[in-house]
Amino acid sequence: MALRTTRSLHKRALGIIATTSAVVALSLAGASAAGAADRVTYAGSVPAWATAANDTGAAAADTTVQGEIYLPLRDQKGAEALAKAVSNPLDRGYRKALSPQQWINRFSPTKPDFDAVVNFIKAAGLTIQGVPDSRQYVVFRGTPAQLGSVFGTSLHTFKHQGKQLIAPASAPSVPAALANKVSAISVEQSRTTTRPDSIKQGDLGTTAAPFAQRKAAATPVVNAPCSHYIGEHTATMPAAYGQTQFNTNICGYTPKQLRTAYGLDALGAKGVNGTGQTVAIIDAYASPSILKDVNTYSQQNGEPGLTNSSYQQLVPSPTQFTDQDLCQQPSGWQGEQTLDVESVHAIAPGARILYVGGTDCSGGLDIAMSKILDNKLANIVSNSYGNVGEAVPADVIQGEVNLQLQAAGEGIGLYFSSGDNGDETINLGYASPDFPASSPWVTSVGGTSTAIDKNGKIAWETGWGNILDKVQKASDGTLSYTAPLPGSYYGGGAGGGVSAVFAQPDYQRGIVPAALANGKRVSPDVAALADPYTGFLIGISPIVDDSTLTTGDYENETYGGTSLASPIVAAQIAIVQQATRATIGFANPTLYGVKRILPNAYRDVVPQPKQQALAYTSATSGNSYLVSLDLDSSLKTAKGYDDVTGLGGVSLDLLGWVAQGRH
């Protein structure tokens, strides 16, 4: 799973580990000489990108890498059968979930098997970083030489997605006596590509040369002030799509605007606002200013603040943070945590929020998830992150799926953002949905561009997929676009598409077009606001120094991404659970069941009759752009189910039927 470098490990500690590694290597030499028959290899634990063509040589000796061993469930088929029964309204076991201890007693690896794996890791001199009560995996750390010796391979560095990632040059192995206790050995860094699925307005990533200019132009090419609601301001742009007047981008919707748009005002007036419900949020690391930022933001917008009872967190200390460079630093995750917490609080201001932070973006996220599952700290969990596609070893994916089966069996709903890079061709060179959102055991949340009018109602809604075209001014003052419409800059779009790993789940049959699915799982399942140009206003004191976690002045920023959509849906679930006094758990079978009986229950997100586009002038560069919407790579919105927005937008009436199991 994950191996990574860490700047926090001192040279002295590295020397000690290296010495231990040499001892372990010598002790294993005899076992190796005894013959390969004494060991069992795990070919499914090698990532597809770890090829000779991508190999750049042995991994640096003066680093440490994270590894993870997964143990098989005691009754894999039984765990799957339980997850289906608990989630299917037509099954007699519907919503008869097990407690965490019941699930562990029935399905988790036995304690003797788990102890054998732990003892093997300890005897090898590896450092154990975390183990769950469910005994499903062990997260550990060591040097490349140490891990190579322990697992009968050598660790090399490979080119992948423009990075240098460590992976085994040959299939890892364990002694034959341990093989039936191990289902996967992750000593590779594929999951360090896990990233927050959030995107700031104006962020075009590595292709955004025009946005690299941080000094605003003295006179913007186009005067396009942002709007507080759709249609507040318009701007004159070069002719496009048969018009020259375009609505300007949204400054950032407020909590009240979102609640009104999603039809929550009437319930809120009656005290139905998520009270009595807990929404758990998982991300890597932890913002040092989260509670202060949320309460400053709440006061700014006339919202109730968070208290020590309405917001709690389980987070590692900064000294426990690992793999900051590989995982995009704590500052790279701070905006995500802030967006998640503030959007849940905006939609369901009465709900209790539990934030659980990982020590890193790989095994640390598993440990965070297990804290929730093993103690059932919440029955709604929002996860606004994902891998880049499904480029994770098959054995590792199965280990992650087992955690999702535990959640479903315990009546816990996992909501995952579908991704922010469309079909991921831009990163992988081929189309792929992001995992874990592509799993059939989670609810994948896609994204929309949502126009809210001055009365707080949804004026129109389409799929999130932005292409930007820069406006240029000639010497005679005439304006034109720098590229043929819709432009050359990709501004992000909802993830989704057809899985290469998972077969089509029963609940999608007859709903997802057969020509699209071709017998495979397709994501997402539902959708909510995600477009940063029709985005959500947040308040944050940004980290300005990752080594000290020093923060700067409080500021407002406009965010989007499917990591906005996921907590929005999770918060709506909290409100409905309060209103119906029901626990929804894994929602997909009921969501698709309602679609079969009441196809109009969803807001079907379809292409607009006329191409929608927004005028946008960057406050940081002064450059102006036409933002064309609903252009999400190869993913397309369509009538009925589509791979950008799934079944469509959800309403409270719809979720009420889901909560009641009306199918």
Side-chain angles (χ1 to χ4, degrees), residues 413-456:
L414 302 181
Y415 297 84
F416 274 89
S417 52
S418 70
D420 290 351
N421 294 304
D423 64 10
E424 290 291 6
T425 298
I426 192 172
N427 289 314
L428 296 173
Y430 58 88
S432 174
D434 288 354
F435 178 79
S438 65
S439 169
W441 298 105
V442 308
T443 299
S444 174
V445 185
T448 67
S449 299
T450 305
I452 300 176
D453 66 21
K454 63 181 178 180
N455 298 314

mmCIF file of all heavy atoms in Angstrom, residues 413-456:
data_model
loop_
_atom_site.group_PDB
_atom_site.id
_atom_site.type_symbol
_atom_site.label_atom_id
_atom_site.label_comp_id
_atom_site.label_asym_id
_atom_site.label_seq_id
_atom_site.Cartn_x
_atom_site.Cartn_y
_atom_site.Cartn_z
ATOM 1 N N GLY A 413 -23.113 4.069 6.590
ATOM 2 C CA GLY A 413 -23.035 4.506 5.201
ATOM 3 C C GLY A 413 -21.750 5.264 4.936
ATOM 4 O O GLY A 413 -21.439 6.236 5.636
ATOM 5 N N LEU A 414 -20.994 4.810 3.940
ATOM 6 C CA LEU A 414 -19.766 5.486 3.526
ATOM 7 C C LEU A 414 -20.042 6.276 2.260
ATOM 8 O O LEU A 414 -20.464 5.719 1.242
ATOM 9 C CB LEU A 414 -18.640 4.471 3.269
ATOM 10 C CG LEU A 414 -18.247 3.553 4.424
ATOM 11 C CD1 LEU A 414 -17.105 2.637 3.995
ATOM 12 C CD2 LEU A 414 -17.852 4.356 5.665
ATOM 13 N N TYR A 415 -19.771 7.569 2.294
ATOM 14 C CA TYR A 415 -19.968 8.451 1.141
ATOM 15 C C TYR A 415 -18.598 8.931 0.675
ATOM 16 O O TYR A 415 -17.829 9.484 1.454
ATOM 17 C CB TYR A 415 -20.877 9.626 1.519
ATOM 18 C CG TYR A 415 -22.249 9.147 1.920
ATOM 19 C CD1 TYR A 415 -22.494 8.709 3.222
ATOM 20 C CD2 TYR A 415 -23.276 9.055 0.995
ATOM 21 C CE1 TYR A 415 -23.738 8.206 3.582
ATOM 22 C CE2 TYR A 415 -24.525 8.563 1.347
ATOM 23 C CZ TYR A 415 -24.743 8.129 2.642
ATOM 24 O OH TYR A 415 -25.974 7.623 2.985
ATOM 25 N N PHE A 416 -18.298 8.684 -0.606
ATOM 26 C CA PHE A 416 -17.005 9.058 -1.171
ATOM 27 C C PHE A 416 -17.199 10.012 -2.339
ATOM 28 O O PHE A 416 -18.070 9.804 -3.200
ATOM 29 C CB PHE A 416 -16.244 7.823 -1.669
ATOM 30 C CG PHE A 416 -15.433 7.132 -0.608
ATOM 31 C CD1 PHE A 416 -15.998 6.135 0.171
ATOM 32 C CD2 PHE A 416 -14.114 7.479 -0.373
ATOM 33 C CE1 PHE A 416 -15.266 5.486 1.152
ATOM 34 C CE2 PHE A 416 -13.362 6.842 0.606
ATOM 35 C CZ PHE A 416 -13.934 5.840 1.376
ATOM 36 N N SER A 417 -16.382 11.052 -2.397
ATOM 37 C CA SER A 417 -16.373 11.946 -3.551
ATOM 38 C C SER A 417 -15.868 11.187 -4.771
ATOM 39 O O SER A 417 -14.959 10.364 -4.679
ATOM 40 C CB SER A 417 -15.490 13.158 -3.276
ATOM 41 O OG SER A 417 -14.210 12.756 -2.836
ATOM 42 N N SER A 418 -16.471 11.451 -5.920
ATOM 43 C CA SER A 418 -16.157 10.670 -7.129
ATOM 44 C C SER A 418 -14.880 11.122 -7.819
ATOM 45 O O SER A 418 -14.359 10.415 -8.684
ATOM 46 C CB SER A 418 -17.321 10.740 -8.125
ATOM 47 O OG SER A 418 -17.433 12.038 -8.691
ATOM 48 N N GLY A 419 -14.342 12.302 -7.445
ATOM 49 C CA GLY A 419 -13.105 12.786 -8.061
ATOM 50 C C GLY A 419 -13.291 14.114 -8.753
ATOM 51 O O GLY A 419 -14.420 14.552 -9.006
ATOM 52 N N ASP A 420 -12.181 14.763 -9.077
ATOM 53 C CA ASP A 420 -12.211 16.110 -9.655
ATOM 54 C C ASP A 420 -11.540 16.200 -11.020
ATOM 55 O O ASP A 420 -11.369 17.291 -11.549
ATOM 56 C CB ASP A 420 -11.499 17.096 -8.717
ATOM 57 C CG ASP A 420 -12.270 17.357 -7.438
ATOM 58 O OD1 ASP A 420 -13.434 16.916 -7.336
ATOM 59 O OD2 ASP A 420 -11.710 18.001 -6.542
ATOM 60 N N ASN A 421 -11.142 15.063 -11.570
ATOM 61 C CA ASN A 421 -10.403 15.082 -12.828
ATOM 62 C C ASN A 421 -11.095 14.290 -13.925
ATOM 63 O O ASN A 421 -10.450 13.676 -14.767
ATOM 64 C CB ASN A 421 -8.989 14.533 -12.611
ATOM 65 C CG ASN A 421 -8.166 15.420 -11.707
ATOM 66 O OD1 ASN A 421 -7.994 16.607 -11.978
ATOM 67 N ND2 ASN A 421 -7.679 14.869 -10.610
ATOM 68 N N GLY A 422 -12.424 14.303 -13.913
ATOM 69 C CA GLY A 422 -13.163 13.618 -14.955
ATOM 70 C C GLY A 422 -12.812 12.151 -15.032
ATOM 71 O O GLY A 422 -12.755 11.452 -14.017
ATOM 72 N N ASP A 423 -12.532 11.681 -16.250
ATOM 73 C CA ASP A 423 -12.247 10.252 -16.440
ATOM 74 C C ASP A 423 -10.784 9.900 -16.176
ATOM 75 O O ASP A 423 -10.364 8.767 -16.403
ATOM 76 C CB ASP A 423 -12.655 9.809 -17.845
ATOM 77 C CG ASP A 423 -11.843 10.494 -18.949
ATOM 78 O OD1 ASP A 423 -10.837 11.168 -18.648
ATOM 79 O OD2 ASP A 423 -12.223 10.343 -20.126
ATOM 80 N N GLU A 424 -9.982 10.843 -15.666
ATOM 81 C CA GLU A 424 -8.578 10.662 -15.275
ATOM 82 C C GLU A 424 -7.631 10.435 -16.456
ATOM 83 O O GLU A 424 -6.447 10.163 -16.246
ATOM 84 C CB GLU A 424 -8.410 9.511 -14.265
ATOM 85 C CG GLU A 424 -8.977 9.805 -12.891
ATOM 86 C CD GLU A 424 -8.208 10.864 -12.112
ATOM 87 O OE1 GLU A 424 -7.281 11.467 -12.665
ATOM 88 O OE2 GLU A 424 -8.557 11.085 -10.938
ATOM 89 N N THR A 425 -8.103 10.564 -17.681
ATOM 90 C CA THR A 425 -7.201 10.426 -18.833
ATOM 91 C C THR A 425 -6.071 11.443 -18.755
ATOM 92 O O THR A 425 -4.927 11.159 -19.137
ATOM 93 C CB THR A 425 -7.974 10.602 -20.149
ATOM 94 O OG1 THR A 425 -8.963 9.577 -20.246
ATOM 95 C CG2 THR A 425 -7.047 10.496 -21.351
ATOM 96 N N ILE A 426 -6.370 12.623 -18.222
ATOM 97 C CA ILE A 426 -5.362 13.678 -18.118
ATOM 98 C C ILE A 426 -4.183 13.250 -17.244
ATOM 99 O O ILE A 426 -3.055 13.696 -17.432
ATOM 100 C CB ILE A 426 -6.019 14.967 -17.566
ATOM 101 C CG1 ILE A 426 -5.066 16.163 -17.713
ATOM 102 C CG2 ILE A 426 -6.437 14.800 -16.114
ATOM 103 C CD1 ILE A 426 -5.731 17.491 -17.371
ATOM 104 N N ASN A 427 -4.435 12.344 -16.280
ATOM 105 C CA ASN A 427 -3.377 11.885 -15.377
ATOM 106 C C ASN A 427 -2.838 10.507 -15.735
ATOM 107 O O ASN A 427 -1.645 10.235 -15.561
ATOM 108 C CB ASN A 427 -3.894 11.847 -13.933
ATOM 109 C CG ASN A 427 -4.110 13.229 -13.357
ATOM 110 O OD1 ASN A 427 -3.268 14.103 -13.487
ATOM 111 N ND2 ASN A 427 -5.260 13.443 -12.737
ATOM 112 N N LEU A 428 -3.709 9.624 -16.202
ATOM 113 C CA LEU A 428 -3.316 8.231 -16.414
ATOM 114 C C LEU A 428 -3.071 7.871 -17.880
ATOM 115 O O LEU A 428 -2.417 6.871 -18.171
ATOM 116 C CB LEU A 428 -4.407 7.299 -15.854
ATOM 117 C CG LEU A 428 -4.639 7.362 -14.341
ATOM 118 C CD1 LEU A 428 -5.856 6.528 -13.959
ATOM 119 C CD2 LEU A 428 -3.409 6.890 -13.584
ATOM 120 N N GLY A 429 -3.628 8.671 -18.784
ATOM 121 C CA GLY A 429 -3.526 8.314 -20.196
ATOM 122 C C GLY A 429 -4.617 7.364 -20.649
ATOM 123 O O GLY A 429 -4.693 6.995 -21.818
ATOM 124 N N TYR A 430 -5.488 6.971 -19.728
ATOM 125 C CA TYR A 430 -6.631 6.117 -20.055
ATOM 126 C C TYR A 430 -7.760 6.454 -19.087
ATOM 127 O O TYR A 430 -7.542 7.043 -18.021
ATOM 128 C CB TYR A 430 -6.274 4.635 -19.961
ATOM 129 C CG TYR A 430 -5.770 4.190 -18.599
ATOM 130 C CD1 TYR A 430 -6.642 3.776 -17.604
ATOM 131 C CD2 TYR A 430 -4.403 4.218 -18.303
ATOM 132 C CE1 TYR A 430 -6.178 3.391 -16.349
ATOM 133 C CE2 TYR A 430 -3.932 3.827 -17.055
ATOM 134 C CZ TYR A 430 -4.828 3.407 -16.088
ATOM 135 O OH TYR A 430 -4.365 3.024 -14.845
ATOM 136 N N ALA A 431 -8.973 6.088 -19.452
ATOM 137 C CA ALA A 431 -10.134 6.428 -18.638
ATOM 138 C C ALA A 431 -10.267 5.475 -17.464
ATOM 139 O O ALA A 431 -10.121 4.258 -17.613
ATOM 140 C CB ALA A 431 -11.402 6.397 -19.483
ATOM 141 N N SER A 432 -10.556 6.048 -16.282
ATOM 142 C CA SER A 432 -10.742 5.233 -15.085
ATOM 143 C C SER A 432 -11.487 6.032 -14.033
ATOM 144 O O SER A 432 -11.165 7.198 -13.804
ATOM 145 C CB SER A 432 -9.390 4.781 -14.521
ATOM 146 O OG SER A 432 -9.553 4.100 -13.283
ATOM 147 N N PRO A 433 -12.476 5.425 -13.369
ATOM 148 C CA PRO A 433 -13.058 6.084 -12.205
ATOM 149 C C PRO A 433 -12.088 5.998 -11.039
ATOM 150 O O PRO A 433 -11.185 5.158 -11.032
ATOM 151 C CB PRO A 433 -14.323 5.257 -11.929
ATOM 152 C CG PRO A 433 -13.959 3.883 -12.406
ATOM 153 C CD PRO A 433 -13.065 4.091 -13.605
ATOM 154 N N ASP A 434 -12.250 6.854 -10.067
ATOM 155 C CA ASP A 434 -11.369 6.845 -8.898
ATOM 156 C C ASP A 434 -11.856 5.820 -7.873
ATOM 157 O O ASP A 434 -13.058 5.689 -7.629
ATOM 158 C CB ASP A 434 -11.328 8.223 -8.234
ATOM 159 C CG ASP A 434 -10.565 9.246 -9.057
ATOM 160 O OD1 ASP A 434 -9.978 8.862 -10.087
ATOM 161 O OD2 ASP A 434 -10.568 10.432 -8.674
ATOM 162 N N PHE A 435 -10.909 5.114 -7.278
ATOM 163 C CA PHE A 435 -11.189 4.258 -6.140
ATOM 164 C C PHE A 435 -10.846 5.053 -4.871
ATOM 165 O O PHE A 435 -9.897 5.838 -4.901
ATOM 166 C CB PHE A 435 -10.311 2.992 -6.214
ATOM 167 C CG PHE A 435 -10.474 2.055 -5.054
ATOM 168 C CD1 PHE A 435 -11.554 1.194 -5.000
ATOM 169 C CD2 PHE A 435 -9.558 2.041 -4.009
ATOM 170 C CE1 PHE A 435 -11.715 0.340 -3.923
ATOM 171 C CE2 PHE A 435 -9.711 1.193 -2.928
ATOM 172 C CZ PHE A 435 -10.798 0.335 -2.882
ATOM 173 N N PRO A 436 -11.602 4.951 -3.793
ATOM 174 C CA PRO A 436 -12.648 3.988 -3.452
ATOM 175 C C PRO A 436 -14.037 4.281 -3.988
ATOM 176 O O PRO A 436 -14.936 3.449 -3.811
ATOM 177 C CB PRO A 436 -12.678 4.031 -1.924
ATOM 178 C CG PRO A 436 -11.428 4.677 -1.485
ATOM 179 C CD PRO A 436 -11.117 5.667 -2.577
ATOM 180 N N ALA A 437 -14.282 5.440 -4.617
ATOM 181 C CA ALA A 437 -15.636 5.755 -5.075
ATOM 182 C C ALA A 437 -16.155 4.731 -6.068
ATOM 183 O O ALA A 437 -17.370 4.557 -6.209
ATOM 184 C CB ALA A 437 -15.661 7.149 -5.702
ATOM 185 N N SER A 438 -15.265 4.021 -6.763
ATOM 186 C CA SER A 438 -15.701 3.040 -7.761
ATOM 187 C C SER A 438 -16.167 1.737 -7.138
ATOM 188 O O SER A 438 -16.717 0.878 -7.835
ATOM 189 C CB SER A 438 -14.562 2.756 -8.744
ATOM 190 O OG SER A 438 -13.467 2.134 -8.083
ATOM 191 N N SER A 439 -15.966 1.569 -5.836
ATOM 192 C CA SER A 439 -16.383 0.330 -5.172
ATOM 193 C C SER A 439 -17.906 0.224 -5.143
ATOM 194 O O SER A 439 -18.604 1.215 -4.896
ATOM 195 C CB SER A 439 -15.845 0.274 -3.748
ATOM 196 O OG SER A 439 -16.449 -0.798 -3.035
ATOM 197 N N PRO A 440 -18.457 -0.967 -5.329
ATOM 198 C CA PRO A 440 -19.913 -1.140 -5.246
ATOM 199 C C PRO A 440 -20.443 -1.086 -3.827
ATOM 200 O O PRO A 440 -21.655 -1.145 -3.625
ATOM 201 C CB PRO A 440 -20.129 -2.526 -5.869
ATOM 202 C CG PRO A 440 -18.850 -3.251 -5.642
ATOM 203 C CD PRO A 440 -17.777 -2.207 -5.753
ATOM 204 N N TRP A 441 -19.566 -0.965 -2.819
ATOM 205 C CA TRP A 441 -19.986 -0.982 -1.419
ATOM 206 C C TRP A 441 -19.986 0.397 -0.783
ATOM 207 O O TRP A 441 -20.151 0.518 0.431
ATOM 208 C CB TRP A 441 -19.099 -1.934 -0.619
ATOM 209 C CG TRP A 441 -19.195 -3.342 -1.110
ATOM 210 C CD1 TRP A 441 -18.286 -4.033 -1.849
ATOM 211 C CD2 TRP A 441 -20.298 -4.232 -0.913
ATOM 212 N NE1 TRP A 441 -18.740 -5.297 -2.133
ATOM 213 C CE2 TRP A 441 -19.976 -5.455 -1.569
ATOM 214 C CE3 TRP A 441 -21.522 -4.132 -0.248
ATOM 215 C CZ2 TRP A 441 -20.839 -6.546 -1.578
ATOM 216 C CZ3 TRP A 441 -22.380 -5.219 -0.258
ATOM 217 C CH2 TRP A 441 -22.041 -6.410 -0.916
ATOM 218 N N VAL A 442 -19.799 1.449 -1.585
ATOM 219 C CA VAL A 442 -19.870 2.816 -1.078
ATOM 220 C C VAL A 442 -20.798 3.625 -1.967
ATOM 221 O O VAL A 442 -21.086 3.240 -3.106
ATOM 222 C CB VAL A 442 -18.479 3.492 -1.011
ATOM 223 C CG1 VAL A 442 -17.486 2.613 -0.266
ATOM 224 C CG2 VAL A 442 -17.958 3.828 -2.404
ATOM 225 N N THR A 443 -21.275 4.740 -1.438
ATOM 226 C CA THR A 443 -22.077 5.662 -2.239
ATOM 227 C C THR A 443 -21.155 6.719 -2.815
ATOM 228 O O THR A 443 -20.548 7.509 -2.080
ATOM 229 C CB THR A 443 -23.180 6.316 -1.388
ATOM 230 O OG1 THR A 443 -24.054 5.297 -0.887
ATOM 231 C CG2 THR A 443 -23.998 7.298 -2.222
ATOM 232 N N SER A 444 -21.037 6.709 -4.128
ATOM 233 C CA SER A 444 -20.170 7.642 -4.840
ATOM 234 C C SER A 444 -20.957 8.900 -5.183
ATOM 235 O O SER A 444 -22.045 8.826 -5.762
ATOM 236 C CB SER A 444 -19.646 6.978 -6.122
ATOM 237 O OG SER A 444 -18.917 7.896 -6.906
ATOM 238 N N VAL A 445 -20.401 10.059 -4.829
ATOM 239 C CA VAL A 445 -21.107 11.327 -5.019
ATOM 240 C C VAL A 445 -20.417 12.136 -6.110
ATOM 241 O O VAL A 445 -19.268 12.541 -5.971
ATOM 242 C CB VAL A 445 -21.166 12.133 -3.708
ATOM 243 C CG1 VAL A 445 -22.012 13.393 -3.904
ATOM 244 C CG2 VAL A 445 -21.747 11.289 -2.574
ATOM 245 N N GLY A 446 -21.136 12.350 -7.201
ATOM 246 C CA GLY A 446 -20.634 13.133 -8.318
ATOM 247 C C GLY A 446 -20.955 14.608 -8.151
ATOM 248 O O GLY A 446 -21.398 15.054 -7.088
ATOM 249 N N GLY A 447 -20.734 15.396 -9.208
ATOM 250 C CA GLY A 447 -20.828 16.843 -9.055
ATOM 251 C C GLY A 447 -21.681 17.545 -10.085
ATOM 252 O O GLY A 447 -21.810 17.094 -11.233
ATOM 253 N N THR A 448 -22.249 18.670 -9.677
ATOM 254 C CA THR A 448 -23.055 19.500 -10.563
ATOM 255 C C THR A 448 -22.547 20.938 -10.557
ATOM 256 O O THR A 448 -21.873 21.380 -9.628
ATOM 257 C CB THR A 448 -24.536 19.517 -10.124
ATOM 258 O OG1 THR A 448 -24.649 20.189 -8.864
ATOM 259 C CG2 THR A 448 -25.099 18.112 -10.000
ATOM 260 N N SER A 449 -22.902 21.664 -11.609
ATOM 261 C CA SER A 449 -22.842 23.128 -11.630
ATOM 262 C C SER A 449 -24.259 23.597 -11.329
ATOM 263 O O SER A 449 -25.195 23.227 -12.043
ATOM 264 C CB SER A 449 -22.407 23.631 -13.009
ATOM 265 O OG SER A 449 -21.130 23.151 -13.348
ATOM 266 N N THR A 450 -24.412 24.363 -10.262
ATOM 267 C CA THR A 450 -25.753 24.696 -9.773
ATOM 268 C C THR A 450 -25.925 26.207 -9.714
ATOM 269 O O THR A 450 -25.150 26.907 -9.043
ATOM 270 C CB THR A 450 -25.985 24.087 -8.377
ATOM 271 O OG1 THR A 450 -25.751 22.673 -8.438
ATOM 272 C CG2 THR A 450 -27.406 24.341 -7.914
ATOM 273 N N ALA A 451 -26.941 26.690 -10.402
ATOM 274 C CA ALA A 451 -27.246 28.122 -10.430
ATOM 275 C C ALA A 451 -28.385 28.395 -9.460
ATOM 276 O O ALA A 451 -29.509 27.932 -9.661
ATOM 277 C CB ALA A 451 -27.631 28.547 -11.839
ATOM 278 N N ILE A 452 -28.100 29.135 -8.386
ATOM 279 C CA ILE A 452 -29.113 29.511 -7.399
ATOM 280 C C ILE A 452 -29.506 30.965 -7.650
ATOM 281 O O ILE A 452 -28.644 31.841 -7.740
ATOM 282 C CB ILE A 452 -28.570 29.334 -5.973
ATOM 283 C CG1 ILE A 452 -28.172 27.869 -5.737
ATOM 284 C CG2 ILE A 452 -29.596 29.777 -4.945
ATOM 285 C CD1 ILE A 452 -27.528 27.610 -4.382
ATOM 286 N N ASP A 453 -30.822 31.210 -7.775
ATOM 287 C CA ASP A 453 -31.281 32.558 -8.116
ATOM 288 C C ASP A 453 -31.405 33.435 -6.866
ATOM 289 O O ASP A 453 -31.098 33.009 -5.747
ATOM 290 C CB ASP A 453 -32.586 32.507 -8.917
ATOM 291 C CG ASP A 453 -33.763 31.960 -8.101
ATOM 292 O OD1 ASP A 453 -33.713 31.977 -6.849
ATOM 293 O OD2 ASP A 453 -34.745 31.512 -8.727
ATOM 294 N N LYS A 454 -31.865 34.667 -7.053
ATOM 295 C CA LYS A 454 -31.912 35.630 -5.950
ATOM 296 C C LYS A 454 -32.914 35.229 -4.869
ATOM 297 O O LYS A 454 -32.850 35.732 -3.739
ATOM 298 C CB LYS A 454 -32.229 37.023 -6.477
ATOM 299 C CG LYS A 454 -33.590 37.172 -7.134
ATOM 300 C CD LYS A 454 -33.765 38.599 -7.636
ATOM 301 C CE LYS A 454 -35.108 38.775 -8.348
ATOM 302 N NZ LYS A 454 -35.281 40.162 -8.843
ATOM 303 N N ASN A 455 -33.840 34.319 -5.189
ATOM 304 C CA ASN A 455 -34.806 33.835 -4.210
ATOM 305 C C ASN A 455 -34.345 32.559 -3.525
ATOM 306 O O ASN A 455 -35.075 31.979 -2.721
ATOM 307 C CB ASN A 455 -36.158 33.596 -4.881
ATOM 308 C CG ASN A 455 -36.747 34.875 -5.449
ATOM 309 O OD1 ASN A 455 -36.757 35.912 -4.778
ATOM 310 N ND2 ASN A 455 -37.224 34.815 -6.684
ATOM 311 N N GLY A 456 -33.139 32.119 -3.847
ATOM 312 C CA GLY A 456 -32.604 30.923 -3.227
ATOM 313 C C GLY A 456 -33.028 29.628 -3.884
ATOM 314 O O GLY A 456 -32.740 28.550 -3.343
#
